[in-house]
PDB file of all heavy atoms in Angstrom:
ATOM      1  N   LEU A  12     -12.848   3.786   2.412  1.00 47.00           N
ATOM      2  CA  LEU A  12     -11.988   4.949   2.781  1.00 47.00           C
ATOM      3  C   LEU A  12     -12.540   6.176   2.098  1.00 47.00           C
ATOM      4  O   LEU A  12     -12.913   6.297   0.970  1.00 47.00           O
ATOM      5  CB  LEU A  12     -10.595   4.727   2.276  1.00 47.00           C
ATOM      6  CG  LEU A  12      -9.687   3.556   2.925  1.00 47.00           C
ATOM      7  CD1 LEU A  12      -8.430   3.501   2.152  1.00 47.00           C
ATOM      8  CD2 LEU A  12      -9.477   3.919   4.381  1.00 47.00           C
ATOM      9  N   VAL A  56      -9.220  -7.996 -17.842  1.00 98.00           N
ATOM     10  CA  VAL A  56      -8.912  -8.522 -19.275  1.00 98.00           C
ATOM     11  C   VAL A  56      -8.852 -10.075 -19.259  1.00 98.00           C
ATOM     12  O   VAL A  56      -8.119 -10.567 -18.506  1.00 98.00           O
ATOM     13  CB  VAL A  56      -7.633  -7.967 -19.816  1.00 98.00           C
ATOM     14  CG1 VAL A  56      -7.351  -8.512 -21.163  1.00 98.00           C
ATOM     15  CG2 VAL A  56      -7.409  -6.531 -19.760  1.00 98.00           C
ATOM     16  N   PHE A  82     -21.531 -43.606 -36.945  1.00 42.00           N
ATOM     17  CA  PHE A  82     -22.275 -44.567 -36.165  1.00 42.00           C
ATOM     18  C   PHE A  82     -23.607 -44.065 -35.876  1.00 42.00           C
ATOM     19  O   PHE A  82     -24.273 -44.468 -34.887  1.00 42.00           O
ATOM     20  CB  PHE A  82     -21.460 -44.849 -34.972  1.00 42.00           C
ATOM     21  CG  PHE A  82     -20.226 -45.563 -35.031  1.00 42.00           C
ATOM     22  CD1 PHE A  82     -18.988 -44.857 -35.154  1.00 42.00           C
ATOM     23  CD2 PHE A  82     -20.102 -46.867 -35.153  1.00 42.00           C
ATOM     24  CE1 PHE A  82     -17.786 -45.419 -35.380  1.00 42.00           C
ATOM     25  CE2 PHE A  82     -18.887 -47.532 -35.407  1.00 42.00           C
ATOM     26  CZ  PHE A  82     -17.779 -46.846 -35.485  1.00 42.00           C
ATOM     27  N   LYS A 111     -19.796 -10.962 -17.974  1.00 98.00           N
ATOM     28  CA  LYS A 111     -20.579  -9.831 -18.134  1.00 98.00           C
ATOM     29  C   LYS A 111     -21.844  -9.918 -17.196  1.00 98.00           C
ATOM     30  O   LYS A 111     -22.369  -8.965 -16.616  1.00 98.00           O
ATOM     31  CB  LYS A 111     -21.072  -9.556 -19.537  1.00 98.00           C
ATOM     32  CG  LYS A 111     -19.990  -8.969 -20.401  1.00 98.00           C
ATOM     33  CD  LYS A 111     -19.555  -7.565 -19.870  1.00 98.00           C
ATOM     34  CE  LYS A 111     -20.726  -6.659 -19.934  1.00 98.00           C
ATOM     35  NZ  LYS A 111     -20.423  -5.260 -19.345  1.00 98.00           N
ATOM     36  N   ARG A 132     -12.251 -11.640 -37.518  1.00 91.00           N
ATOM     37  CA  ARG A 132     -13.419 -12.583 -37.209  1.00 91.00           C
ATOM     38  C   ARG A 132     -13.461 -12.819 -35.662  1.00 91.00           C
ATOM     39  O   ARG A 132     -14.635 -12.632 -35.156  1.00 91.00           O
ATOM     40  CB  ARG A 132     -12.989 -13.929 -37.889  1.00 91.00           C
ATOM     41  CG  ARG A 132     -13.860 -15.123 -37.446  1.00 91.00           C
ATOM     42  CD  ARG A 132     -13.493 -16.418 -37.842  1.00 91.00           C
ATOM     43  NE  ARG A 132     -14.343 -17.495 -37.210  1.00 91.00           N
ATOM     44  CZ  ARG A 132     -14.022 -18.735 -37.179  1.00 91.00           C
ATOM     45  NH1 ARG A 132     -12.787 -19.140 -37.468  1.00 91.00           N
ATOM     46  NH2 ARG A 132     -14.839 -19.628 -36.623  1.00 91.00           N
ATOM     47  N   ALA A 135     -14.741  -9.691 -33.670  1.00 96.00           N
ATOM     48  CA  ALA A 135     -16.179  -9.410 -33.902  1.00 96.00           C
ATOM     49  C   ALA A 135     -16.921 -10.422 -32.909  1.00 96.00           C
ATOM     50  O   ALA A 135     -17.944 -10.116 -32.388  1.00 96.00           O
ATOM     51  CB  ALA A 135     -16.540  -9.669 -35.338  1.00 96.00           C
ATOM     52  N   ASP A 159      11.079  -6.389 -44.361  1.00 91.00           N
ATOM     53  CA  ASP A 159      11.499  -5.180 -43.662  1.00 91.00           C
ATOM     54  C   ASP A 159      10.476  -4.708 -42.694  1.00 91.00           C
ATOM     55  O   ASP A 159       9.384  -5.166 -42.609  1.00 91.00           O
ATOM     56  CB  ASP A 159      12.088  -4.127 -44.688  1.00 91.00           C
ATOM     57  CG  ASP A 159      10.922  -3.609 -45.340  1.00 91.00           C
ATOM     58  OD1 ASP A 159       9.666  -3.709 -45.094  1.00 91.00           O
ATOM     59  OD2 ASP A 159      11.195  -3.003 -46.430  1.00 91.00           O
ATOM     60  N   LYS A 271       3.799   6.134  -9.843  1.00 97.00           N
ATOM     61  CA  LYS A 271       4.633   6.559 -10.793  1.00 97.00           C
ATOM     62  C   LYS A 271       4.030   6.463 -12.337  1.00 97.00           C
ATOM     63  O   LYS A 271       4.209   7.302 -13.102  1.00 97.00           O
ATOM     64  CB  LYS A 271       5.883   5.694 -10.827  1.00 97.00           C
ATOM     65  CG  LYS A 271       6.827   5.916  -9.703  1.00 97.00           C
ATOM     66  CD  LYS A 271       7.942   4.887  -9.573  1.00 97.00           C
ATOM     67  CE  LYS A 271       8.837   5.167  -8.205  1.00 97.00           C
ATOM     68  NZ  LYS A 271       9.878   4.083  -8.244  1.00 97.00           N
ATOM     69  N   SER A 284       1.598 -10.323 -12.526  1.00 96.00           N
ATOM     70  CA  SER A 284       2.549 -11.157 -11.861  1.00 96.00           C
ATOM     71  C   SER A 284       2.345 -10.987 -10.292  1.00 96.00           C
ATOM     72  O   SER A 284       2.362 -11.908  -9.582  1.00 96.00           O
ATOM     73  CB  SER A 284       3.911 -10.658 -12.211  1.00 96.00           C
ATOM     74  OG  SER A 284       4.249 -11.092 -13.501  1.00 96.00           O
ATOM     75  N   THR A 295      -6.320  -4.700  -3.008  1.00 98.00           N
ATOM     76  CA  THR A 295      -6.837  -3.934  -1.801  1.00 98.00           C
ATOM     77  C   THR A 295      -5.648  -3.021  -1.304  1.00 98.00           C
ATOM     78  O   THR A 295      -5.782  -1.826  -0.970  1.00 98.00           O
ATOM     79  CB  THR A 295      -7.415  -4.749  -0.819  1.00 98.00           C
ATOM     80  OG1 THR A 295      -8.633  -5.499  -1.366  1.00 98.00           O
ATOM     81  CG2 THR A 295      -8.003  -3.842   0.310  1.00 98.00           C
ATOM     82  N   TYR A 336      19.966   8.669 -19.808  1.00 52.00           N
ATOM     83  CA  TYR A 336      20.970   7.665 -20.029  1.00 52.00           C
ATOM     84  C   TYR A 336      22.390   8.090 -19.679  1.00 52.00           C
ATOM     85  O   TYR A 336      23.203   7.407 -19.079  1.00 52.00           O
ATOM     86  CB  TYR A 336      20.813   7.112 -21.420  1.00 52.00           C
ATOM     87  CG  TYR A 336      21.821   6.066 -21.860  1.00 52.00           C
ATOM     88  CD1 TYR A 336      21.734   4.714 -21.463  1.00 52.00           C
ATOM     89  CD2 TYR A 336      22.961   6.534 -22.546  1.00 52.00           C
ATOM     90  CE1 TYR A 336      22.709   3.811 -21.854  1.00 52.00           C
ATOM     91  CE2 TYR A 336      23.935   5.605 -23.031  1.00 52.00           C
ATOM     92  CZ  TYR A 336      23.750   4.220 -22.585  1.00 52.00           C
ATOM     93  OH  TYR A 336      24.716   3.261 -22.967  1.00 52.00           O
ATOM     94  N   SER A 344      27.712   5.013  -8.931  1.00 68.00           N
ATOM     95  CA  SER A 344      28.666   4.545  -7.945  1.00 68.00           C
ATOM     96  C   SER A 344      28.018   3.354  -7.018  1.00 68.00           C
ATOM     97  O   SER A 344      26.716   3.239  -7.086  1.00 68.00           O
ATOM     98  CB  SER A 344      28.973   5.761  -6.946  1.00 68.00           C
ATOM     99  OG  SER A 344      27.891   6.018  -6.190  1.00 68.00           O
TER     100      SER A 344
END
Side-chain angles (χ1 to χ4, degrees):
L12 289 174
V56 181
F82 291 92
K111 282 298 299 174
R132 175 193 171 197
D159 60 20
K271 291 174 184 178
S284 293
T295 305
Y336 172 80
S344 70

